[in-house]
Amino acid sequence: MADKKKNSFYIQGSILALASILTRVMGIIFRVPLTRIIGDEGIGAYSNAYEIYNLALLLSTYSIPIAVSKLVSARESKKEYVNSYRVFCTAMLFSVVSGAIAAGVTYFGADFFATTLFKSRSSAIPLRFLAPTIFVFAVMGVLRGYFQGKNTVIPTSVSQLIEQFFHVAVGLGAAVIFMKAYEDSEYRIAYGAAGGTFGTLIGAVASLIFLGVVFVLYYPVLKRRIRRDKSGVTESYQTLLKLVVITVIPIILNQTLNTVSGTVDSSLLNTVLDAKGYSEEARLVLWGRYSSKYRLLANLPLSIASAIGVAIVPNIVIAHTNKDTEALHTKTAQAVKFNMMIAIPSAFGLAVLAKPIMGVLFNDTTEMTPLLMQIGAAAIVFYAYSTTTSNVLQGISKMRYPVLHAAIALVVYAGVDYLLLNYLDMGVYALVVGHTIFPMIISLLNAMRIEKETGYRQELKKTFLLPAICSAVMGFVAYFSYLGIERLVHSRVIGLCGAIFFAVYAYFVLMVVTKAMDEKELYELPMGGRIVRLFKNAGLLHE
C-alpha cells in the first residue's frame, strides 16, 4: 500500500490542490478587505482589469506549464534527458518573446480594452499595473512546467504560496496608499484597484525568484543526468520549437475559450445594460458582486480540479505513450472521482450556506449575492468535470477536441446570455445561468469523445449518484447546524464554522457507509492512514 501510495498521482495532485486551496483562501482573504477599502465599484474595475489580464496571460504564457509538462514527461519516461532539457530551453525562448509582446500590447492598449469592451475608462488604470506581470508569468510558467514534467509539484506549490503571500501583503497596503495619494482625483477608486493589482506583480516577482533559486540548486543534478543520457536521440531546437508551438496552440485556444467566457460576461453585461440606461457605477457594482463574490467563491473548489488536472497529465501521457489502456482508464476514473468527491458537496454546501458565507466574508446582507450562488452552484460540478476531461484529452494528444467543444459551448452560452439579458431583462442573474450552461456542454462533449477515443465509459453510481445523495443529506446537516448554533451563541462566524465542521464529518461518514468510498480510496487521500484508523475505531470500517 505504501509503495502504491508513494507513486500515486493523488499525492502530487493533493499537494498541488492543497497549495491551490490555500492560495485561493488567501485570495478570498485579500478580496474581503480590498472590497471594504475600494467598494463594489472599485472591485468591478479591478475585476474588469483581471478579465483582460487573464486573457492576455492565456494567449501568451498560461498554457506553457501544461505544454512543457507534457513534452518533458514524454521524454523523461524514455530517459531522454538531453531532449528534456532542450524542451525547457526552447519553451523559455518562446515564452520570453510571447510574454513580452503580450505585456506590451496590454499596457499600451489598456485604454482601448477598457473603453471598448467594458465602457469603463477607470478599468484601464489597474490594467496597466497588471501588464508587466504577464512577462514575469511567462518565465515562471516554463520553470513550473519543467518541474511538473519531472513529476514533482513541490516547486510549483511553494511558489504559488509565496506569490499569494506577497500579493496579499503588498496589494492591500498599496490599495490604501494609492487611494490616499489620489484622493482628489476622479479616478481615486480606480487607483485603489490598481494598488491591488500592483500586489499581483510583486507576488509574481517573488515567486519567480524562488523558482530561479530552486533551478540553480537543481542544475548540478541536471548536468549529471544529461551526461548519463544514453538514449542516442537528440532532437534539434528547430524541431522542438515546432513541437512546443503545436502543443501550446491547442491548449492556448482551449484555455482562452474557457476563460474568455468571463470577458464575454462583462462585455455583454456592460453593453446591454449601458443601452438600457444603467450608469457605469451601477454596472460595476453588479459586476463586482458577480465576479468578486459569487465567482470567486465558486472557483475555490475548482482549484482542486485544476490541480488534479495538472498532476494527471504526465500519468496520462506515459500510459498513452506505452499504449497501456488499463492504466489510462484507471487514472481517468481516479481523477474524475476524486474531483467529484470534492465538487459535488462543495456545490451543495455553498448553495445551502450562501447567505451566512456572504455575510461573514463580505458583510453583504443583500438578497442578490446569496441568490447568485444558489442559482449557480451547479456550475462547480460541471467545471470540475470539464477541466479534468479536457486534461485527459490533451494527455492523449487529442488536443483539438477540447478547443472545439469549448468553442461550441461559448457560442451557445453567449447567445443564451444575450437573450436573457436583452429580452428577459434578467440582469446579472443571466450570467449565472450562462456560467452553468458553458461547462455543462463541454462536459457532455468531452465525455463522448473520451469514450470514442479510448473506450473509457464513465462509471456513474459511485462517482456521481452516491456523492450527490450524500451531499444532499450533508446540506440538511449544514443548514440546520447553522441555524441551531447561530441561535444558541448569536454569532454568524461560530455558526458557520460549526456548520461546516458537522457537514464535512457527515459527508465522509455517509460516503463510507454507502460504500461510495472504500478503504483503498481513503488511503489515497492526504493523511489517509489516519482517516482509515479513525473510521475503523468508529466501527465504520472493518478489518
Side-chain angles (χ1 to χ4, degrees), residues 39 369 460:
T369 315
L460 298 177

Side-chain angles (χ1 to χ4, degrees), residues 425-485:
D425 202 24
M426 287 182 62
V428 73
Y429 298 110
L431 304 188
V432 180
V433 176
H435 191 247
T436 306
I437 290 174
F438 180 70
M440 181 174 65
I441 294 172
I442 297 175
S443 295
L444 293 172
L445 294 175
N446 280 359
M448 290 188 289
R449 177 50 56 179
I450 288 174
E451 181 176 352
K452 185 173 182 179
E453 296 293 339
T454 70
Y456 171 78
R457 300 194 69 177
Q458 181 61 58
E459 189 276 337
L460 298 177
K461 181 180 177 181
K462 294 180 69 175
T463 305
F464 296 99
L465 181 59
L466 289 178
I469 293 172
C470 295
S471 297
V473 177
M474 178 209 75
F476 280 103
V477 172
Y479 180 74
F480 287 107
S481 295
Y482 173 76
L483 286 182
I485 297 171

Side-chain angles (χ1 to χ4, degrees), residues 30 51 74 88 109 173 262 265 310 322 350 395 418 431 465 482 514 542:
F30 171 73
E51 292 300 335
F88 168 79
D265 277 340
V310 168
N322 296 334
L350 285 170
Y418 180 76
L431 304 188
L465 181 59
Y482 173 76
T514 60
H542 303 287

